Amino acid sequence: MSITLAGQLVVAISSRALFDFEEENQLFEATDDHAYMQLQMERLDVPAKPGVAFSLVHKLLAFNQNTADGKPRVEVVILSRNDPYSGLRVFRSAQHYGLPIQRGVFTRGKSPYRYLRPLKANLFLSVNELDVRSALEAGFPAARVYPLSKRASDAHPHEVRIAFDGDAVLFSDEAEQVFQSSGLDAFQLHESSRVDNPLPAGPFKPLLEALHRLQSNASPTMRIRTALVTARSAPAHERAIRTLMDWQIEVDEALFLGGLPKGEFLREFEPDFFFDDQMRHIENAAEHVPAGHVAAGVSNP
């Protein structure tokens, strides 16, 4: 029988998103890849510190423990511009933290996003904006990890917490285009008049669907909690809720903030990761929680 990842939630992640390689990256940018490779080999037995997306990956992989049928539910693959030699330290660091990561693709400076298709990835996380944009254009949920983000809280060890913006992330940017071109009143009228028409899907709907499937196979020790955190307010909230109802996908919390800064609300939700399409929201959120920029829609030409 051939090996397959079918039926699993597949997360592809760069080494800098999973581990803190910022010091090593500074050397790379100041010199060349040979000096970087040498430093990584010198530190081969020194585990890298956890990076911005470490908590998300660690908790998702816990869904593979004690499954009823013994089959894994989540696959995490390193998809990295690192060279293969430096990849040795990535795998050793994963082993040090007990992360059962078996697969990796290392492309030594070339964009690795093209390997998302054979992986059938449900999510791609990287610090490289070009790779993220290429992945989004190819139809894969992808976000640029903001490296200065605050690390995730350890207050919820048995719960994967993920927060999503709405327009241009879970939903298309149809309504956001109206807001940016014609203002708030036009936006509210546009959404109120179309309240019974589900919003088109945004780039992260496939991930939300995959999380919904994973939740239905929740392990005895891990579960998922999701939140919609949006600048929408009444009356535009209703179309967002009705869209999720039409998709038959539930979220656990919905925050309709009417333009209030999102960071302090996210601090209270304590997500392992937050996705938003606007950098001003990411910069505000990153002071409190791990955050990633979705370079999609009218806000990201």
Side-chain angles (χ1 to χ4, degrees):
M1 180 182 294
S2 62
I3 295 174
T4 176
L5 301 180
Q8 296 186 52
L9 187 152
V10 179
V11 176
I13 186 168
S14 74
S15 54
R16 283 179 65 198
L18 182 58
F19 296 115
D20 184 351
F21 285 132
E22 296 313 301
E23 181 183 342
E24 291 86 348
N25 187 64
Q26 288 175 11
L27 177 66
F28 172 79
E29 293 180 350
T31 54
D32 56 30
D33 65 339
H34 291 286
Y36 173 85
M37 291 166 59
Q38 180 63 34
L39 179 60
Q40 290 284 35
M41 292 306 295
E42 290 173 359
R43 297 181 174 180
L44 186 60
D45 295 319
V46 179
K49 295 178 181 178
V52 176
F54 181 92
S55 176
L56 176 66
V57 167
H58 181 262
K59 289 184 179 180
L60 284 173
L61 285 169
F63 273 90
N64 293 337
Q65 299 173 8
N66 304 317
T67 57
D69 55 9
K71 296 180 180 179
R73 305 284 188 247
V74 175
E75 176 73 17
V76 174
V77 181
I78 304 296
L79 202 60
S80 173
R81 284 176 176 252
N82 256 325
D83 63 277
Y85 288 179
S86 301
L88 288 175
R89 189 178 179 209
V90 178
F91 275 117
R92 286 202 182 183
S93 296
Q95 184 179 30
H96 169 80
Y97 291 107
L99 300 180
I101 297 175
Q102 306 176 63
R103 296 178 172 87
V105 175
F106 301 94
T107 59
R108 195 174 181 179
K110 298 295 184 180
S111 179
Y113 85 92
R114 61 189 182 277
Y115 295 107
L116 294 170
R117 195 168 303 283
L119 287 170
K120 298 179 175 59
N122 301 109
L123 176 64
F124 176 49
L125 295 174
S126 174
V127 180
N128 187 288
E129 182 174 2
L130 177 61
D131 291 347
V132 167
R133 285 181 177 269
S134 297
L136 286 165
E137 290 171 4
F140 295 94
R144 181 172 70 87
V145 173
Y146 199 65
L148 300 180
S149 297
K150 185 177 179 64
R151 300 305 190 254
S153 165
D154 58 3
H156 309 281
H158 302 295
E159 202 166 63
V160 179
R161 292 188 161 217
I162 304 178
F164 300 91
D165 180 32
D167 297 290
V169 179
L170 289 183
F171 315 128
S172 79
D173 69 338
E174 169 195 299
E176 181 67 22
Q177 290 184 42
V178 175
F179 173 73
Q180 293 198 18
S181 64
S182 304
L184 179 59
D185 289 343
F187 167 80
Q188 298 283 30
L189 178 60
H190 179 272
E191 293 303 276
S192 297
S193 64
R194 292 166 175 77
V195 68
D196 293 323
N197 299 332
L199 283 155
F204 271 67
K205 182 192 176 186
L207 175 60
L208 189 62
E209 290 175 322
L211 290 171
H212 184 74
R213 292 192 297 270
L214 182 61
Q215 177 73 329
S216 66
N217 291 304
S219 79
T221 56
M222 287 300 296
R223 55 189 177 273
I224 293 172
R225 188 169 185 85
T226 53
L228 169 65
V229 183
T230 173
R232 285 176 178 250
S233 59
H237 72 297
E238 186 169 347
R239 191 180 185 199
I241 294 175
R242 287 182 176 272
T243 297
L244 293 172
M245 292 170 63
D246 182 77
W247 293 350
Q248 298 183 6
I249 298 177
E250 297 177 357
V251 294
D252 298 291
E253 300 189 22
L255 285 65
F256 298 100
L257 300 181
L260 290 174
K262 297 180 179 182
E264 293 186 355
F265 292 90
L266 288 161
R267 181 190 63 201
E268 300 305 317
F269 179 65
E270 297 181 306
D272 295 291
F273 216 86
F274 168 60
F275 299 100
D276 201 293
D277 69 303
Q278 297 193 36
M279 277 305 303
R280 63 187 179 92
H281 293 314
I282 292 296
E283 289 169 352
N284 180 255
E287 298 177 14
H288 306 281
V289 300
H293 179 227
V294 181
V298 68
S299 297
N300 298 284

